[in-house]
Amino acid sequence: MEIDIFSDEYFMREALKEAVSAYEEDEVPVGAIVVIRNKIIAKAHNSTELLHDVTAHAEILAITAASNHLGSKYLNKCTLYVTLEPCLMCAGALFWSQIGKVVYGARDEKRGYSLFAKHNALHPKTKVTSGIMQDECSELLSNFFKKKR
Amino acid sequence: MEIDIFSDEYFMREALKEAVSAYEEDEVPVGAIVVIRNKIIAKAHNSTELLHDVTAHAEILAITAASNHLGSKYLNKCTLYVTLEPCLMCAGALFWSQIGKVVYGARDEKRGYSLFAKHNALHPKTKVTSGIMQDECSELLSNFFKKKR
């Protein structure tokens, strides 16, 4: 009997760990990981405050790290797990990377790419799954913004 | 009599020099600079091939460099000059930076943000000027793609 320990929940939990690290560093708590054949090759969390850099979203840092690891700018065999729906910038980056699959947790009702893109902003070959551990992902964000008020 | 040597053409020429550097490095020739009070604080050109990183567009590198220079993630007093209309990723980054003004040269008829964004992808306070030295900017791109064929 073969037991598959890997699931979208398994990997989203790893992305969520990254989001918790962001929370602890007083960054908007979003985490992302990149996986290829069930192996995590990149982990990142939002670091815009630390780096004074709006481009330092979890997804952008994870794409850069994954490409660096693979020595390839295309990530068509990879899946990105991210705790929050990507914004337009990150969706644009994911388009260029031709990433195989994107799995996100909570929807972003304010800046999610699906609200702003005319057509699908992602590559036509990119698969998308959403809502994985969305309650945990969004609760962390709500707690962060409550603390900030 | 006061002579203003600075103009959009002056700064676009500096961005174009960056695009020429990209061309010489066999990168898609797009260049960008960031200016504050007539002073150039960041210069960059597309480096996606060198870095194996789809996020290494001229604009993203220029935003990161300008924020690093100013120690601020907001660029509301700055102008970005770029030889080609930004893509969705770069427009999204420019949105987050709240940049004061964007000046671009050639239109991007394939991947320009204006084709893909439902509303204005940039910040509502960001001013936009286009078409500055567009012939020079697009000629460099045409030459590059001709050479590649």
Side-chain angles (χ1 to χ4, degrees):
Chain A
M1 180 181 147
E2 204 178 312
I3 301 175
D4 192 357
I5 62 157
F6 299 112
S7 64
D8 281 345
E9 283 73 17
Y10 173 87
F11 288 117
M12 188 58 80
R13 204 173 299 275
E14 294 300 313
L16 204 47
K17 283 185 198 168
E18 283 294 316
V20 169
S21 297
Y23 185 96
E24 288 167 352
E25 293 167 15
D26 217 24
E27 300 273 0
V28 174
V30 180
I33 64 165
V34 177
V35 174
I36 188 166
R37 289 179 225 100
N38 287 333
K39 191 187 159 199
I40 298 173
I41 58 169
K43 294 183 180 192
H45 57 264
N46 178 36
S47 304
T48 52
E49 297 304 323
L50 174 73
L51 300 174
H52 306 297
D53 185 349
V54 296
T55 74
H57 280 194
E59 300 93 315
I60 300 286
L61 300 175
I63 289 167
T64 298
S67 290
N68 195 38
H69 177 86
L70 296 174
S72 160
K73 62 178 190 156
Y74 296 119
L75 303 175
N76 48 305
K77 303 260 190 286
C78 299
T79 300
L80 176 119
Y81 290 85
V82 57
T83 57
L84 182 66
E85 181 186 357
C87 70
L88 218 47
M89 170 180 73
C90 294
L94 291 163
F95 165 82
W96 290 118
S97 77
Q98 302 183 9
I99 197 149
K101 192 177 170 188
V102 173
V103 181
Y104 66 84
R107 277 204 66 181
D108 186 343
E109 304 287 354
K110 281 191 182 157
R111 301 297 321 166
Y113 76 92
S114 57
L115 297 170
F116 290 90
K118 233 185 239 174
H119 324 282
N120 180 12
L122 300 175
H123 194 274
K125 286 191 180 166
T126 300
K127 291 179 186 126
V128 180
T129 300
S130 63
I132 304 296
M133 298 184 73
Q134 58 181 334
D135 293 344
E136 293 86 340
C137 293
S138 65
E139 200 188 335
L140 190 64
L141 283 155
S142 315
N143 285 350
F144 178 81
F145 289 114
K146 257 182 230 156
K147 188 180 72 170
K148 282 283 170 194
R149 257 182 248 132
Chain B
M1 181 182 149
E2 206 178 311
I3 301 174
D4 192 357
I5 61 158
F6 299 112
S7 64
D8 281 346
E9 284 72 17
Y10 174 86
F11 289 117
M12 188 57 81
R13 205 173 298 275
E14 294 299 313
L16 204 46
K17 282 185 198 168
E18 284 294 317
V20 170
S21 296
Y23 185 96
E24 288 167 353
E25 293 167 16
D26 218 24
E27 300 273 0
V28 174
V30 180
I33 64 164
V34 177
V35 174
I36 187 166
R37 289 180 224 99
N38 287 333
K39 192 186 159 199
I40 298 174
I41 58 168
K43 292 184 182 190
H45 56 264
N46 178 36
S47 304
T48 52
E49 297 304 322
L50 174 73
L51 300 174
H52 306 297
D53 185 350
V54 295
T55 74
H57 281 195
E59 299 94 314
I60 300 285
L61 300 175
I63 290 169
T64 298
S67 291
N68 195 38
H69 176 86
L70 296 175
S72 161
K73 62 178 190 156
Y74 296 119
L75 303 176
N76 49 305
K77 302 260 190 288
C78 299
T79 299
L80 177 120
Y81 291 84
V82 58
T83 57
L84 182 66
E85 181 185 356
C87 71
L88 218 48
M89 170 179 74
C90 293
L94 290 164
F95 165 82
W96 289 119
S97 77
Q98 303 183 7
I99 196 150
K101 193 176 169 187
V102 172
V103 181
Y104 67 84
R107 277 204 66 180
D108 186 344
E109 305 287 353
K110 281 190 184 159
R111 301 297 322 166
Y113 76 91
S114 56
L115 297 170
F116 290 90
K118 233 185 239 174
H119 324 282
N120 180 13
L122 300 175
H123 195 273
K125 287 191 179 167
T126 301
K127 292 180 185 124
V128 180
T129 299
S130 64
I132 305 295
M133 297 184 73
Q134 60 181 331
D135 293 345
E136 293 87 340
C137 293
S138 65
E139 200 188 334
L140 190 64
L141 283 155
S142 315
N143 285 349
F144 178 81
F145 289 113
K146 255 182 232 157
K147 188 181 71 169
K148 283 282 169 195
R149 259 181 248 132

